[in-house]
Amino acid sequence: MLGQWLGAAVEPNDEQEPPTMENPQPVAVPGRPAALSGTDTVAYRTDFPDPCGDEETRATLELAGLYGHARIWLNGTFLGTHESYFTPWRTTFDPEPENELIVECRRPADAFGGIYETDLLPAERCVPGIWWEASVEPHGPVTITDLSVTPELEDDGGSIQAAITVDAAEPIDDRVTLSIRPKGFRGGGTMERARVVAAAGERVVVERRIEVRDPRLWWPRGFGPQHRYAVHAKLGEQEQIATTGFSTISYGDDGLVVNGRPIPARGFNILPGVGPEETVTRAVEANANLLRTHAHVPPPKFYDACDEAGLLVWQDVPLTGPVEYNPERGIEISAALVDRCESRPSVAAYGVHDDPRSPFETPLGSGRLARMRLRWRAWRTAFDRTAVDALADGIETDRPVFPVMGSPGTDPDASHLYPGWEYGTAADIEWLTGRYPGLGDVVTEFGAGSLTEGREGALGTHPAFDHLDDTPIGTQHEQGRTLKHVAEWLRLEHTDVLAAFTLQDVRPGGGMGVIDANGIEKRSFDPIKAAYEPVQAVVTDPLTPGAVGVTVINDTHERVSGTIDWKSGSRSGVINLDAEPLSRVSVGGAKVDDDAEKLVLELSTDGQTVRNQYRLP
């Protein structure tokens, strides 16, 4: 309904007059105009006719994904500012026959741009602008502009707290109808009414707590169904719908506990730029049950897809790197973030400050001397936690909060471990977690990079590639071996949360993803997919000719019985297995043939077979 948009780089100022747009060019909104990459302040303008018909008198303008500090003018009137891109900006207005909308977006002046203010992303993905939605919706003089819902579980049942925002251009004394309907499953619905009283020109918020009898719980995939509820708020012809679900999530001695039961979490970090539905689909294909939103907040469709697929979400505050910030400002940002996420049953935890120090920007080698250097760098990396702890303490949520996510030496609450990439070899994960107790409990980053083009690619000059094969295929195989070894070791050690960095590359040429920038699986995809199987047989000894031990990982809530068929060159055999829920069971061994190129384990149980393959050095 909005017209063609024009965009231009402008000089920032704090006046309430619209910016001067010199040489504006057509741009797509919502979107990130690549032609304006590297610009600190961008102004956008569009003209649109009166959208109202015969029975409509007013309209609501909504802008979502406004990055970062935005100022808005409508028909020459300054309407205000907006600073949290993950919260939609709305206004209700009386349209004129012809309308002009101008939006100025500038880079954040504080530290809460998160990943968008780093070099992890290409510049064209970080252009200040209107990223998610720009719409005008016509309606009558009274309308519902927002519906927010908060689920609550209690000893004798559950309830949903609904808050309905009503904008009234004329007096109203009416009732809004609230109904709760099970989404995708059979169950009893609920309907209630709440009185709405407002004077002309008044905006009111009506709150109502709605009882839900015998609430059905939302579970992560593999542990139960993803029950959700649709909440409908209707006032006259106006209706808003919000979807939510019931889950409890905590973290403690039993690890990550969902609905009272321990849930081992494994998955990936994600970076902005890939479609939400595609991201979730590929993560499920890789046997993930968790995604970490690395130092950013995705659009609402991402959370919809995770809720539906049963993927847990580790939600970061948009804060990363060695930056200084005001904790009070961080608490404001976090409050808005929690407000947007509290209806989501999939949101499992909040991470606050990502990588406050980076001691391993220059990779170390391997061996005894490299370990000594690692310990030295870790010792020198200590930093003052005052600000991050104050911010974390101010986050009001019933979900776990992890203040620091970082490398050894930062006293992390969630660890970033890169053996085989930043230091040592993949096998050093055993020494690392032994040298620093607690590092292996929650691991929000591990991994290695690989190329999809030659050394001139995106990561081709990274020092960590110096010891690798020059070919993209060689680096991808090495990436797969590193991911596989680290993931399997940490799972053997009962790591509670495990997230590889990252699911998909953001640049052509290569990156830390197991999927390239074009959406094609690398040769590292299948190894991490196998390592993430809920029930899997893994090798626990170095892969050399001779006998190797085999252990079964059972990360389900069910007892597992079956067989493991193994084959290496001319040698083969069968092992019986019986594993209790959430257990690690040594089941015997296999023998690696002197001339074999690989060892293959096939675990069969209840008519299902999963394969784990080891390429020999």
Side-chain angles (χ1 to χ4, degrees):
M1 196 169 293
L2 294 171
Q4 170 67 56
W5 287 85
L6 299 175
V10 298
E11 291 296 325
N13 64 69
D14 295 325
E15 299 177 1
Q16 292 191 3
E17 294 298 320
T20 300
M21 299 176 62
E22 298 180 359
N23 302 316
Q25 55 186 299
V27 294
V29 174
R32 298 166 169 85
L36 295 169
S37 296
T39 303
D40 289 335
T41 307
V42 181
Y44 299 86
R45 186 181 74 222
T46 187
D47 298 313
F48 60 95
D50 184 349
C52 296
D54 294 339
E55 298 182 1
E56 300 160 332
T57 58
R58 309 195 80 209
T60 294
L61 169 66
E62 179 171 329
L63 304 173
L66 275 177
Y67 186 85
H69 175 81
R71 302 194 298 163
I72 304 101
W73 291 264
L74 181 62
N75 297 328
T77 300
F78 177 65
L79 298 184
T81 63
H82 189 71
E83 296 195 25
S84 57
Y85 66 91
F86 47 84
T87 301
W89 180 89
R90 299 185 185 96
T91 189
T92 303
F93 67 103
D94 297 304
E96 297 181 3
E98 294 294 329
N99 302 271
E100 179 190 61
L101 173 63
I102 297 177
V103 182
E104 179 194 89
C105 300
R106 68 177 73 171
R107 297 195 180 281
D110 55 29
F112 296 98
I115 196 173
Y116 292 113
E117 299 305 312
T118 72
D119 59 4
L120 275 176
L121 299 178
E124 58 268 22
R125 293 197 182 182
C126 308
V127 181
I130 309 166
W131 289 351
W132 299 343
E133 183 178 357
S135 64
V136 172
E137 189 70 30
H139 50 72
V142 177
T143 186
I144 299 174
T145 60
D146 189 36
L147 168 64
S148 63
V149 295
T150 305
E152 297 179 359
L153 280 172
E154 299 148 3
D155 293 338
D156 57 348
S159 63
I160 295 176
Q161 183 73 27
I164 309 101
T165 303
V166 177
D167 187 283
E170 61 183 31
I172 180 176
D173 186 349
D174 203 346
R175 292 187 179 274
V176 59
T177 301
L178 288 163
S179 61
I180 298 178
R181 307 170 190 173
K183 191 176 177 66
F185 67 97
R186 290 185 177 182
T190 302
M191 180 179 292
E192 289 194 14
R193 293 178 181 271
R195 188 179 179 189
V196 181
V197 179
E202 188 177 6
R203 176 173 293 178
V204 297
V205 177
V206 179
E207 297 185 351
R208 179 55 61 94
R209 181 175 176 272
I210 310 168
E211 299 287 344
V212 179
R213 294 182 180 178
D214 189 25
R216 306 287 186 87
L217 299 179
W218 180 96
W219 289 92
R221 63 184 299 266
F223 294 93
Q226 290 74 52
H227 291 127
R228 292 174 296 152
Y229 293 83
V231 181
H232 296 247
K234 189 171 183 180
L235 181 63
E237 298 300 319
Q238 295 291 317
E239 184 177 32
Q240 292 274 355
I241 303 174
T243 301
T244 190
F246 292 94
S247 65
T248 62
I249 304 180
S250 61
Y251 183 78
D253 293 340
D254 293 330
L256 192 70
V257 176
V258 181
N259 301 330
R261 306 191 70 180
I263 302 291
R266 60 197 181 275
F268 298 90
N269 286 248
I270 60 166
L271 303 180
V274 183
E277 293 86 354
E278 180 184 352
T279 295
V280 168
T281 297
R282 303 309 290 273
V284 169
E285 291 172 354
N287 290 314
N289 65 1
L290 175 139
L291 290 175
R292 176 192 172 204
T293 63
H294 186 102
H296 74 288
V297 185
K301 288 182 180 179
F302 168 78
Y303 303 93
D304 292 338
C306 288
D307 287 346
E308 183 175 355
L311 290 182
L312 295 164
V313 176
W314 178 292
Q315 178 60 63
D316 276 4
V317 173
L319 178 64
T320 185
V323 293
E324 295 183 359
Y325 53 90
N326 182 344
E328 293 301 319
R329 171 62 179 153
I331 291 172
E332 292 178 7
I333 291 287
S334 301
L337 180 58
V338 171
D339 183 64
R340 299 306 299 172
C341 293
E342 64 184 357
S343 66
R344 304 292 185 173
S346 59
V347 173
Y350 291 93
V352 181
H353 195 163
D354 170 72
D355 281 331
R357 297 287 185 274
S358 299
F360 306 110
E361 290 180 346
T362 303
L364 300 172
S366 58
R368 183 170 177 269
L369 184 58
R371 289 183 178 181
M372 293 175 62
R373 288 173 176 167
L374 185 151
R375 292 168 62 183
W376 169 252
R377 289 195 193 180
W379 178 75
R380 295 185 59 193
T381 304
F383 76 107
D384 185 353
R385 289 180 56 119
T386 302
V388 66
D389 285 337
L391 198 169
D393 289 344
I395 298 177
E396 297 183 4
T397 176
D398 62 352
R399 295 324 201 206
V401 176
F402 295 80
V404 175
M405 303 163 288
S407 302
T410 60
D411 189 22
D413 305 284
S415 306
H416 295 170
L417 307 178
Y418 283 95
W421 178 248
E422 290 182 341
Y423 39 78
T425 66
D428 286 321
I429 185 63
E430 303 166 30
W431 169 83
L432 190 64
T433 55
R435 177 65 180 79
Y436 298 96
L439 279 185
D441 294 342
V442 176
V443 179
T444 40
E445 287 184 30
F446 73 99
S450 64
L451 302 174
T452 55
E453 299 173 6
R455 288 286 179 140
E456 70 281 0
L459 291 181
T461 59
H462 195 289
F465 281 110
D466 290 345
H467 68 288
L468 299 181
D469 189 311
D470 284 340
T471 66
I473 290 178
T475 64
Q476 290 176 30
H477 280 312
E478 184 65 22
Q479 180 189 33
R481 281 191 287 267
T482 298
L483 286 165
K484 181 180 180 63
H485 185 90
V486 175
E488 289 183 351
W489 172 260
L490 291 173
R491 291 189 68 196
L492 284 169
E493 292 297 297
H494 291 275
T495 292
D496 300 318
V497 178
L498 184 62
F501 186 86
T502 177
L503 181 61
Q504 184 165 350
D505 293 345
V506 295
R507 291 182 174 91
M512 303 290 286
V514 295
I515 301 171
D516 71 18
N518 295 317
I520 299 173
E521 295 174 5
K522 298 181 184 179
R523 285 165 176 81
S524 52
F525 184 88
D526 284 342
I528 190 65
K529 175 182 178 179
Y532 275 178
E533 284 282 359
V535 180
Q536 184 59 287
V538 302
V539 170
T540 54
D541 294 311
L543 282 171
T544 56
V548 294
V550 177
T551 293
V552 170
I553 297 172
N554 179 11
D555 271 347
T556 73
H557 290 164
E558 305 295 331
R559 182 175 178 176
V560 172
S561 298
T563 60
I564 301 169
D565 290 87
W566 62 267
K567 181 175 178 58
S568 176
S570 61
R571 294 183 171 183
S572 62
V574 180
I575 305 171
N576 293 321
L577 70 96
D578 190 3
E580 296 295 325
L582 302 178
S583 67
R584 310 294 185 260
V585 180
S586 176
V587 293
K591 292 185 178 180
V592 178
D593 197 334
D594 292 346
D595 299 323
E597 296 182 353
K598 59 186 177 181
L599 169 66
V600 178
L601 307 176
E602 290 189 343
L603 186 155
S604 300
T605 177
D606 296 331
Q608 181 181 4
T609 299
V610 297
R611 181 185 177 97
N612 203 5
Q613 175 175 296
Y614 294 87
R615 295 167 53 89
L616 300 181

